[in-house]
């Protein structure tokens, strides 16, 4: 439990099993604020809400339900939900539903959650499963080649040689600092200004870190050192507000940071390279018309 991300996932799993923040706190030997902070940090990292009113009934959102299902499928030992919580997955109908596996980074899944729910609702003979462990082109290629995924979304700075993919959209990378930081107060920030500034980063095992570092390197943005490595976004936010350094972000995480008091986006003299979101499909998709239809539907 030394990794904050593992702790947050453990709190989420226990919250699903317990059915309430009070029971989860009692089971884990934590306080209610510690449980709620853990859930809030995980939601910020993922880019979507996991629970409706976590301090009350703590009912899973549709995205939270899919996330819990993905944990159970991939982890194998996640706790079962409490008896008074709605089941994570209904019993399989007869005949069995066609299964489609969509692999994507968690923030990208958050982008599609409404579309996925609508597709499932319109096709009650189809069940969509989520794999949240794909981030790079190499991850996507491996998942598709092994049959572990039918459709994969991944991060890239440009179109890779493999797997064959199509461009979805781009998300700009921005740098953030506490509003009192000297760079946050500057009208324009040059690359030389960054070279003397510490960088706050996610942990090395976090798939988003690699693509952010690649964008920084391509944008010739080098920093003095890594002042903090953490997947606990509340810890990152606190460090930013304390003036500990800069943090690079894109997508939903950047959006959330930009809305927070005490944090400001740096006015860079030259923008950093944008992150491309690309879609790839498995070689077997011609034999799965439902998966092929979903891949096209997500582009509408």
């Amino acid at each position: 439990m030394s990794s904050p991300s593992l702790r947050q996932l453990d709190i989420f799993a226990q919250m699903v099993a317990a059915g309430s923040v009070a029971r989860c706190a009692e089971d884990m030997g934590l306080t209610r604020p510690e449980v709620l902070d853990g859930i809030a940090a995980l939601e910020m990292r993922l880019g979507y809400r996991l629970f409706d009113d976590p301090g009350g009934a703590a009912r899973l959102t549709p995205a939270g339900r899919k996330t819990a299902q993905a944990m159970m499928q991939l982890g194998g030992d996640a706790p079962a939900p409490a008896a008074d919580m709605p089941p994570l997955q209904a019993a399989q109908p007869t005949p069995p539903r066609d299964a489609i596996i969509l692999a994507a980074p968690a923030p990208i899944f958050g982008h599609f959650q409404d579309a996925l729910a609508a597709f499932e609702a319109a096709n009650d003979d189809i069940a969509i499963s989520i794999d949240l462990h794909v981030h790079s082109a190499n991850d996507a290629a491996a998942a598709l080649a092994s049959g572990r995924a039918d459709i994969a979304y991944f991060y890239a700075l440009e179109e890779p040689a493999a797997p064959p993919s199509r461009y979805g959209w781009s998300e700009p990378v921005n740098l953030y600092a506490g509003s009192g930081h000297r760079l946050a107060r500057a009208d324009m920030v040059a690359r030389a200004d960054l070279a003397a500034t510490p960088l706050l980063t996610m942990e090395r095992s976090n798939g988003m870190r690699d693509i952010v570092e690649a964008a920084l390197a391509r944008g010739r943005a080098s920093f003095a050192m890594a002042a903090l490595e953490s997947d606990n976004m509340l810890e990152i936010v606190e460090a930013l507000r304390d003036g500990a350094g800069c943090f690079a972000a894109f997508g939903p995480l950047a959006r959330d940071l930009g809305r927070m008091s005490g944090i400001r986006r740096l006015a860079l003299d030259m923008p950093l390279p944008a992150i491309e979101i690309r879609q790839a499909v498995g070689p077997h998709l011609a034999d799965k018309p439902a998966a092929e239809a979903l891949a096209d539907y997500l582009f509408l």
Side-chain angles (χ1 to χ4, degrees), residues 61-290:
T61 64
R65 189 177 300 278
K66 285 289 188 185
T67 303
Q69 289 172 351
M71 286 180 60
M72 294 176 70
Q73 291 163 359
L74 296 172
D77 57 353
D84 55 350
M85 293 251 331
L88 293 178
Q89 188 171 8
Q92 292 288 338
T94 302
R97 302 168 75 187
D98 289 337
I100 300 175
I101 304 175
L102 173 67
I108 302 306
F109 164 57
H111 180 89
F112 288 134
Q113 57 181 293
D114 291 339
L116 292 175
F119 189 88
E120 278 192 306
N123 299 273
D124 57 9
D125 58 337
I126 294 172
I128 302 172
S129 298
I130 305 298
D131 180 342
L132 302 177
H133 286 63
V134 166
H135 292 86
S136 67
N138 288 339
D139 295 340
L144 295 170
S146 66
R148 185 164 53 85
D150 300 304
I151 306 166
Y153 281 83
F154 61 91
Y155 298 132
L157 294 180
E158 60 190 2
E159 182 176 4
S165 62
R166 56 179 170 175
Y167 171 82
W169 69 92
S170 294
E171 294 178 342
V173 177
N174 290 305
L175 290 172
Y176 297 86
S179 55
H181 195 281
R182 61 181 182 84
L183 296 186
R185 300 194 305 268
D187 294 331
M188 194 67 65
V189 177
R191 296 301 192 264
D193 299 320
L194 301 177
T197 304
L199 181 67
L200 314 180
T201 71
M202 294 181 177
E203 295 183 3
R204 174 54 60 189
S205 59
N206 190 312
M208 292 182 67
R209 174 168 167 170
D210 289 339
I211 191 65
V212 166
E213 288 185 345
L216 293 176
R218 181 169 294 190
R220 301 189 304 281
S222 58
F223 294 83
M225 60 180 179
L228 173 66
E229 296 184 9
S230 175
D231 279 350
N232 187 329
M233 291 313 304
L234 297 185
E235 187 177 3
I236 293 286
V237 168
E238 182 179 355
L240 286 174
R241 287 173 172 159
D242 288 343
C246 298
F247 182 74
F250 65 96
L253 179 56
R255 176 201 64 204
D256 291 344
L257 286 172
R259 294 172 177 172
M260 289 186 172
S261 62
I263 294 177
R264 187 173 298 172
R265 179 173 61 86
L266 302 190
L268 297 176
D269 59 348
M270 292 178 58
L272 293 167
I275 306 298
E276 292 187 3
I277 314 301
R278 304 192 68 88
Q279 183 202 70
V281 298
H284 58 280
L285 215 64
D287 298 326
K288 297 188 70 170

